Amino acid sequence: MTEGNNPNASNPASPRSSNHVYIFDTTLRDGEQSPGASMNLEEKIRIASVLEEMGIDIIEAGFPIASNGDFEAVREVARVVKNSTVCGLARAGRADIDRAWEALQGAARPRIHTFIATSPLHMKYKLQMQPEDVHKAVIASVSHARNLCPDVEWSCEDGSRSEHDFLCRTVESAIKAGARTINIPDTVGYTVPEEYAALIRMLFDRVPNIDRAVISVHCHNDLGLAVANSLAAVGAGARQVECTVNGLGERAGNCSMEEVVMALKTRHDRMPFDTGIKTEYIMRASRLVSQVTGFAVQNNKAIVGANAFAHESGIHQDGMLKHSGTYEIMTPESVGLIKSNLVMGKHSGRNAFRTKLKELGFELGDNALNDVFHRFKALADRKKEVFDEDLVALVDDTVQHEAERIKFVALQVVAGSKGPQSADLELQVDGVTKTVKTEGNGPVDAIFNGIRALVPNEARLQLYQVHAVTGGTDAQAEVTVRLEEGGKTVNGQGADPDTLVASARAYIHALNKLLTKREKTAPAALSA
Ligand code: KIV
Ligand code: ZN
């Protein structure tokens, strides 16, 4: 463990004098608050494990009092993650804080993050509290949290729109009550870099005990300024940045982790600060979060977009051939886009395949490796070139379909302009083979009708999305299906060179997730 990812041990007398910027990832909490971006427990643990491996200092795993699912997620992430601090969010009340602490019991490095709004607008309309009462709540909540946990972070929600005198008083009191990290959120993405940096400097100038805490920033992206605001705040003395993978989050999202980390790394000449992030894990984290949530990354997204390192125009390609620095300010390898010498094709053997997966960051058990290997061979028979992206999609698809109650077996579809379109579908439901032939308004509708006929359910389809894993007409399709039932939302994914097979797999995956959610309350028979 470096000094970098252990704020408990290294909270120095003056954190501002250190050049280390702590990276606090809130993909699992603020990111999940994005409508439709729900993740199940197993997915949260997969994401947390990648975040830990990449050296994220603090992982905010959820808001334990919000739901039993959130509580479980924080508890499991806390149990599994050992090197990063694991944090649970709590409002200013004792019940919230106690619940967060309960969820964090298994953590090697627990942190309670408690917050209350401090802007006039939020205090008056949302909290309906007088500022004096908010001030008392700050002291009471931080003191209570600190009695439970040595590492307490306090956030003044809507901090960037709070009155300076009141902000200074509450920050000073929170530090006195024991907060080691003070977070100043730009909750509504309203501030601009100069103003935000001035706010952070103002706090350093006016709060007498400020050097006893790490100052943190948490920026939303409503004006597209979250990364710029966070970097400006670091320049002004902030030493923790709160962010999410792919910038996922409420409304326009949060500060993007990969952008802020790569900006600090690439422009170290202008911003001489260090993070402990192993940036080669960035693509893996980005892909995993996108795949789990069904939130596609736009092609021209900085750092992780499909075009971020692509050079199309002749002039650019010519420049790149002469010297890559002409049009590339960072290498693709530095964010985990590996150029491998190991090209996979239908003659590749199991050992080469295992080595290749290892290069891509996957270490599978024997059974999972066998399954993926067979699917790879089938794919290599159908597709001229098997790209790294194809293998990642195959692994993700195989691993997530492993222990499902409903399994895809076979599909035959009649499509085209001379209707009716129909689907002959074969599934295995709890080990029993079932078949059905259904019609629909198009082949996808026919398939989904077939699945509903074999596994009756009331789930509403909220999203159906197709994404090509690579270029070319023989590319694999990666389909996301979002289903909602009784207020619960799940995302399912399926990958296959046949878009319709991928669609069936994605719907079945989502349905399996709903069943798991249902089983937690009452296990039920599945068959029609
Ligand atoms: O945006 C915000 O203010 C938050 C706080 C809870 C930190 O997410
Ligand atoms: Zn937020």
Side-chain angles (χ1 to χ4, degrees), residues 404-409 426-435 450-451 453-456 508 511-512 515 524-528:
E404 294 182 329
R405 291 177 67 186
I406 314 166
K407 287 190 189 300
F408 172 84
V409 181
E426 185 177 332
L427 303 183
Q428 221 179 58
V429 183
D430 283 339
V432 179
T433 301
K434 299 193 171 285
T435 57
I451 298 172
L454 293 180
V455 189
I508 292 166
L511 209 50
N512 274 303
L515 291 176
L526 298 182
S527 304

Side-chain angles (χ1 to χ4, degrees), residues 26 29-30 33 185 187 218 220 250 254:
T26 182
R29 198 277 298 172
D30 221 343
Q33 282 174 221
T187 303
H218 175 114
H220 281 265
E250 293 258 23
N254 287 56

Side-chain angles (χ1 to χ4, degrees), residues 496-507:
D496 198 272
D498 185 318
T499 309
L500 297 174
V501 172
S503 304
R505 284 179 164 278
Y507 193 107

Side-chain angles (χ1 to χ4, degrees), residues 26 29-30 33 60 89 113 115 153 155-159 183 185-188 218-220 242 250-251 254:
T26 182
R29 198 277 298 172
D30 221 343
Q33 282 174 221
E60 186 162 58
L89 185 67
H113 177 192
F115 74 98
E153 170 169 339
S155 284
C156 43
E157 192 189 9
D158 208 17
N183 183 36
D186 180 32
T187 303
V188 289
H218 175 114
C219 296
H220 281 265
E242 304 200 354
E250 293 258 23
R251 307 183 306 280
N254 287 56

Side-chain angles (χ1 to χ4, degrees), residues 27-43:
T27 307
L28 302 181
R29 198 277 298 172
D30 221 343
E32 206 207 13
Q33 282 174 221
S34 202
S38 68
M39 309 169 204
N40 67 23
L41 183 61
E42 180 263 330
E43 290 164 341

Side-chain angles (χ1 to χ4, degrees), residues 15-236:
R16 187 171 39 155
S17 63
S18 155
N19 281 347
H20 186 83
V21 175
Y22 296 110
I23 299 298
F24 175 116
D25 185 282
T26 182
T27 307
L28 302 181
R29 198 277 298 172
D30 221 343
E32 206 207 13
Q33 282 174 221
S34 202
S38 68
M39 309 169 204
N40 67 23
L41 183 61
E42 180 263 330
E43 290 164 341
K44 285 187 178 177
I45 290 169
R46 274 163 71 202
I47 292 172
S49 302
V50 173
L51 295 177
E52 180 186 29
E53 264 189 87
M54 76 189 293
I56 294 289
D57 299 293
I58 304 110
I59 299 172
E60 186 162 58
F63 191 177
I65 205 160
S67 69
N68 287 340
D70 253 48
F71 178 85
E72 284 291 314
V74 176
R75 191 165 64 171
E76 280 310 294
V77 171
R79 206 178 53 76
V80 170
V81 166
K82 292 295 166 240
N83 294 320
S84 311
T85 295
V86 177
C87 172
L89 185 67
R91 287 167 302 189
R94 286 178 86 94
D96 274 49
I97 293 168
D98 290 344
R99 191 75 172 144
W101 183 234
E102 197 186 336
L104 290 167
Q105 283 310 294
R109 307 172 193 286
R111 171 180 294 190
I112 297 177
H113 177 192
T114 181
F115 74 98
I116 192 167
T118 51
S119 68
L121 205 64
H122 277 231
M123 288 192 289
K124 182 168 176 191
Y125 293 104
K126 190 183 81 171
L127 298 176
Q128 300 184 339
M129 283 170 79
Q130 294 299 323
E132 278 320 303
D133 295 325
V134 169
H135 183 244
K136 282 185 195 141
V138 172
I139 298 170
S141 57
V142 174
S143 306
H144 181 55
R146 190 55 209 270
N147 279 336
L148 302 171
C149 181
D151 186 356
V152 172
E153 170 169 339
W154 177 71
S155 284
C156 43
E157 192 189 9
D158 208 17
S160 59
R161 294 193 299 172
S162 300
E163 284 174 353
H164 288 189
D165 287 352
F166 186 62
L167 194 60
C168 289
R169 252 182 84 211
T170 50
V171 168
E172 183 180 350
S173 296
I175 297 172
K176 223 181 261 170
R180 293 177 161 208
T181 303
I182 297 289
N183 183 36
I184 314 292
D186 180 32
T187 303
V188 289
Y190 180 70
T191 197
V192 293
E194 236 176 76
E195 179 187 57
Y196 199 43
L199 178 70
I200 302 298
R201 273 195 297 272
M202 182 280 296
L203 289 169
F204 276 109
D205 287 344
R206 291 184 49 188
V207 176
N209 55 1
I210 194 126
D211 280 346
R212 285 172 39 203
V214 172
I215 298 304
S216 166
V217 287
H218 175 114
C219 296
H220 281 265
N221 204 29
D222 298 65
L223 292 172
L225 292 171
V227 172
N229 287 336
S230 302
L231 293 173
V234 169

Side-chain angles (χ1 to χ4, degrees), residues 374-410:
H374 283 124
R375 286 191 67 188
F376 154 69
K377 283 286 184 182
L379 183 67
D381 272 339
R382 295 168 70 179
K383 205 167 174 285
K384 240 185 1 225
E385 293 172 289
V386 178
F387 298 103
D388 289 355
E389 292 89 333
D390 287 314
L391 296 179
V392 173
L394 270 192
V395 173
D396 284 341
D397 194 65
T398 307
V399 169
Q400 70 199 0
H401 292 279
E402 234 175 357
E404 294 182 329
R405 291 177 67 186
I406 314 166
K407 287 190 189 300
F408 172 84
V409 181

